[in-house]
């Protein structure tokens, strides 16, 4: 059997973590089996459609390298993957049900249905439309809603690739709407027709669809369609692991993670491990490794928590795997143009990059550091208040003297021998004699203007001898006449 999977979002807003994880699992299964992956746009609820959503969906999947074989930009042998372009297909399937006696025009107005529903509630019994089927079936004119007539009221059993054998009884069956009054099909009808026509073999879905499965199975039988394999995804839980993740507590737009500087390979790795267990201790996977390792029988039944700290750790690990050129290109995308120009103008950008790599979990961290001037002192002489130079327990006179001796120590260091290690060797004996904090604190502040920075030897090695001596002299002058 050739594997065909699909991801079928509705264009009603942004994609969040839960939807993308379903898209990922369906993609992995198709690619593992050299099968077909379809991106279908289920846009039959026009009232809820949000402009730009289709483009957003495609951008989200492309960012994660979840490519599709057929989609909005590429029709398949079955035609368009956009449901609003397939209305004739649904009408033809609906007419077959009408001819078989499995569908009828809804004779009730919305107000009448609400009255019947209210009455059932008052009588403390379930409201089922099948109990109100009309005695005389009128010809469907396409202007009124068309309802499915459940052929048989029975208990259904089915196999789920994740949950095993499941079943539900008669209470799950009812006469539901197939085609709405506006001519558009409902989700309950359209996705079954499309899955059949597109040859979908495996349906990856959220657990909220389990309770509706008897309706779907009844419709499969009425249409004479072969059932696909159902694979029900475990829910993604919130950080506390107690409730399903919602937009309120973290299910944000997937592209927000891109804007925050996460790597797509890290996000794919992270999502794959929420609800799937590789059966080993391995935690870091490339996307190619995931395609090989992924299997249906290792998808978990129970939900996994969304832990952003774990995501940050995983992203850092993937960042450490980047080549220097790839990291540099990524970093430049999150630094201001002014900072990049200044650092490159002083020929120190490449030397600063390794320090950036050591201190961040996402490229977005660089943006925050850049806004705080974290890197600009490598290119521009920093400014600071005089008091900042003076270590705790010391005074201005002693600090100025030590800076002067630092200046003398480093002035004699040959230009061609200048390096971070050489600077450390030149001042270390003096620092131990005077007290490391008393010497290295003002040296750090003079070179960076900051209380927290890479060590002063590293800074001196990067900015060079002339800039180092100039900044130490500036520190002496900042403290006043000596």
């Amino acid at each position: 059997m050739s594997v065909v999977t699909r991801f079928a979002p509705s264009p009603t807003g942004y994609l969040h973590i839960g939807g993308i994880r379903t898209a990922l699992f369906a993609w992995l299964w198709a690619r593992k089996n050299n099968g077909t992956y379809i991106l279908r746009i289920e846009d039959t609820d026009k009232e809820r459609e949000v402009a730009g959503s289709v483009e957003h969906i495609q951008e989200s999947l492309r960012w994660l390298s979840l490519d599709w074989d057929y989609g909005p930009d590429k029709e398949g042998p079955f035609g368009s993957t956009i449901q609003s372009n397939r209305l004739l297909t649904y009408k033809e399937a609906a007419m077959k049900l009408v001819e078989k006696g499995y569908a009828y025009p809804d004779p009730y107005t919305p107000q009448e249905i609400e009255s019947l529903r209210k009455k059932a509630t008052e009588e403390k019994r379930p409201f089922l439309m099948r109990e109100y089927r009309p005695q005389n079936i009128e010809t469907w004119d396409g202007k009124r809603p068309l309802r499915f007539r459940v052929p048989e009221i029975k208990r259904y059993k089915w196999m789920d690739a994740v949950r095993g054998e499941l079943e539900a009884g008669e209470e799950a069956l009812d006469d539901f709407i197939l085609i709405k009054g506006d001519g558009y099909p409902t989700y309950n009808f359209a996705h079954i027709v499309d899955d059949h026509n597109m040859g979908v073999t495996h349906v990856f879905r959220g657990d909220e669809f389990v309770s509706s499965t008897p309706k779907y199975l009844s419709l499969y039988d009425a249409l004479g369609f072969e059932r696909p394999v159902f694979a029900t995804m475990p829910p993604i839980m919130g950080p506390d692991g107690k409730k399903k993740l919602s937009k309120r507590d973290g299910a944000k737009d997937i592209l927000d993670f891109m804007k925050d500087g996460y790597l797509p390979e890290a996000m794919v790795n992270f999502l794959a491990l929420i609800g799937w267990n590789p059966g080993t201790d391995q935690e870091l996977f490339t996307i190619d490794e995931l395609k090989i390792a992924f299997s249906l029988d290792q998808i978990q039944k129970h939900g996994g928590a969304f832990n952003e700290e774990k995501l940050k750790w995983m992203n850092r690990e993937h960042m450490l795997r980047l080549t220097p050129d790839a990291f540099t290109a990524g970093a430049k995308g999150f630094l201001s143009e002014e900072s990049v120009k200044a650092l490159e103008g002083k020929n120190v950008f490449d030397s600063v990059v390794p320090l950036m790599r050591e201190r961040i979990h996402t490229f977005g961290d660089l943006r925050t550091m850049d806004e705080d001037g974290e890197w600009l002192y490598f290119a521009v002489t920093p400014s600071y208040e005089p008091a900042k130079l003076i270590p705790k327990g010391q005074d201005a006179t002693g600090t100025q003297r030590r800076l002067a001796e630092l200046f003398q120590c480093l002035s004699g260091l040959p230009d061609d021998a200048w390096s971070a290690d050489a600077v450390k060797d030149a001042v270390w004996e003096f620092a131990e004699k005077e007290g490391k904090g008393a010497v290295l604190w003002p040296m750090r502040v003079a070179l960076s203007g900051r209380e927290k920075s890479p060590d002063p030897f590293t800074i001196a090695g990067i900015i060079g001898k002339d800039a180092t001596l100039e900044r130490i002299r500036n520190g002496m002058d900042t403290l006043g006449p000596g």
Side-chain angles (χ1 to χ4, degrees):
M1 178 178 64
S2 178
V3 169
V4 180
T5 68
R6 48 79 164 171
F7 177 51
S10 298
T12 55
Y14 64 76
L15 282 180
H16 58 73
I17 293 296
I20 284 292
R21 200 271 306 267
T22 299
L24 171 61
F25 280 23
W27 183 88
L28 287 171
W29 189 241
R31 295 296 176 247
K32 178 184 179 72
N33 291 281
N34 297 314
T36 300
Y37 184 67
I38 298 170
L39 172 58
R40 188 169 71 218
I41 303 299
E42 299 194 336
D43 62 339
T44 61
D45 189 346
K46 290 301 181 182
E47 291 185 359
R48 296 180 60 230
E49 188 169 339
V50 175
S53 290
V54 175
E55 293 75 17
H56 179 279
I57 289 166
Q58 294 179 91
E59 183 182 359
S60 300
L61 296 179
R62 287 192 181 106
W63 177 54
L64 298 173
S65 297
L66 304 184
D67 59 316
W68 52 89
D69 300 292
Y70 305 114
D73 55 344
K74 182 182 180 183
E75 290 191 352
F78 42 75
S80 176
T81 70
I82 301 174
Q83 286 188 333
S84 60
N85 294 337
R86 300 175 56 79
L87 299 186
L88 181 59
T89 299
Y90 310 126
K91 187 173 182 180
E92 290 174 347
M95 289 307 300
K96 289 180 181 178
L97 291 172
V98 170
E99 292 166 3
K100 291 182 177 182
Y102 294 150
Y104 60 91
D106 190 343
Y108 302 103
T109 66
Q111 293 77 16
E112 290 172 331
I113 291 176
E114 182 57 34
S115 179
L116 293 171
R117 188 188 307 276
K118 183 178 180 181
K119 182 179 179 182
T121 301
E122 292 171 350
E123 296 175 357
K124 297 182 179 180
R125 58 183 176 82
F127 174 70
L128 297 169
M129 279 304 302
R130 70 181 193 233
E131 297 178 357
Y132 302 97
R133 291 172 183 165
Q135 296 297 317
N136 299 315
I137 305 299
E138 299 181 16
T139 301
W140 182 46
D141 59 7
K143 297 179 181 179
R144 285 181 293 172
L146 186 70
R147 282 193 182 274
F148 177 54
R149 180 183 180 278
V150 180
E152 185 179 4
I153 307 302
K154 65 177 183 179
R155 191 165 192 82
Y156 273 92
K157 293 184 179 181
W158 68 96
M159 285 298 299
D160 187 281
V162 176
R163 305 288 180 89
E165 186 175 80
L166 299 173
E167 63 178 283
E170 297 84 346
E171 70 280 354
L173 294 170
D174 198 15
D175 292 1
F176 57 87
I177 297 291
L178 299 170
I179 304 287
K180 295 175 290 185
D182 62 4
Y184 285 92
T186 61
Y187 167 81
N188 291 336
F189 182 47
H191 87 275
I192 290 176
V193 174
D194 284 341
D195 285 346
H196 173 75
N197 288 351
M198 296 178 184
V200 173
T201 60
H202 294 74
V203 172
F204 291 79
R205 61 186 189 171
D207 60 352
E208 65 271 19
F209 294 104
V210 170
S211 61
S212 300
T213 301
K215 293 182 182 180
Y216 306 152
L217 298 182
S218 183
L219 187 52
Y220 277 112
D221 292 346
L223 289 167
F225 291 170
E226 183 178 351
R227 302 175 186 177
V229 175
F230 297 112
T232 300
M233 302 293 92
I236 297 180
M237 311 302 287
D240 61 3
K242 296 179 180 179
K243 64 176 183 176
K244 192 172 181 179
L245 186 69
S246 66
K247 291 182 180 180
R248 186 174 0 183
D249 52 21
K252 59 185 180 182
D253 184 344
I254 191 67
L255 290 181
D256 281 345
F257 290 97
M258 177 185 74
K259 295 170 186 174
D260 288 343
Y262 286 90
L263 297 177
E265 49 267 43
M267 181 59 69
V268 166
N269 188 167
F270 175 71
L271 290 177
L273 294 178
I274 302 181
W276 172 74
N277 190 327
T280 66
D281 292 333
Q282 183 176 352
E283 289 191 282
L284 299 176
F285 289 84
T286 66
I287 198 164
D288 287 333
E289 290 172 335
L290 285 171
K291 285 190 289 186
I292 295 170
F294 185 75
S295 64
L296 297 183
D297 59 1
Q298 289 174 311
I299 298 176
Q300 300 168 341
K301 296 180 181 179
H302 304 293
F306 178 83
N307 184 337
E308 193 155 0
E309 290 305 311
K310 181 66 174 287
L311 173 59
K312 287 181 179 179
W313 169 82
M314 193 169 285
N315 194 73
R316 175 174 169 76
E317 294 300 314
H318 278 277
M319 293 184 81
L320 292 174
R321 294 181 172 189
L322 293 175
T323 64
D325 287 347
F327 183 90
T328 298
K332 286 183 176 180
F334 286 83
L335 294 173
S336 67
E337 184 177 346
E338 293 77 8
S339 292
V340 173
K341 284 183 177 179
L343 291 167
E344 289 184 332
K346 290 291 185 176
N347 297 317
V348 297
F349 189 89
D350 290 341
S351 298
V352 173
V353 164
L355 302 178
M356 295 179 177
R357 187 191 286 257
E358 290 175 4
R359 299 180 61 189
I360 63 174
H361 286 84
T362 73
F363 280 125
D365 293 341
L366 291 179
R367 183 188 291 129
T368 302
M369 291 179 175
D370 190 27
E371 291 170 352
D372 291 340
E374 185 77 9
W375 310 110
L376 201 56
Y377 59 79
F378 282 102
V380 180
T381 300
S383 59
Y384 45 84
E385 294 296 322
K388 202 170 186 178
L389 282 163
I390 304 171
K392 186 176 181 180
Q394 303 295 325
D395 57 27
T397 301
T399 300
Q400 190 178 58
R401 175 181 62 79
R402 295 182 190 98
L403 285 173
E405 294 205 32
L406 274 176
F407 187 92
Q408 294 301 320
C409 285
L410 296 176
S411 295
L413 194 62
D415 292 0
D416 59 359
W418 189 270
S419 69
D421 288 340
V423 170
K424 183 176 182 179
D425 289 342
V427 304
W428 196 251
E429 184 178 347
F430 172 61
E432 287 188 321
K433 175 185 174 184
E434 293 284 327
K436 295 176 186 176
V439 173
L440 300 185
W441 177 275
M443 182 181 180
R444 176 196 298 274
V445 174
L447 297 184
S448 70
R450 308 178 70 87
E451 296 177 1
K452 293 182 179 180
S453 69
D455 68 76
F457 314 119
T458 297
I459 299 172
I462 291 174
I463 65 176
K465 181 177 180 179
D466 290 345
T468 297
L469 294 176
E470 176 188 341
R471 293 186 187 189
I472 292 175
R473 168 64 72 181
N474 180 63
M476 297 161 56
D477 293 343
T478 299
L479 290 171

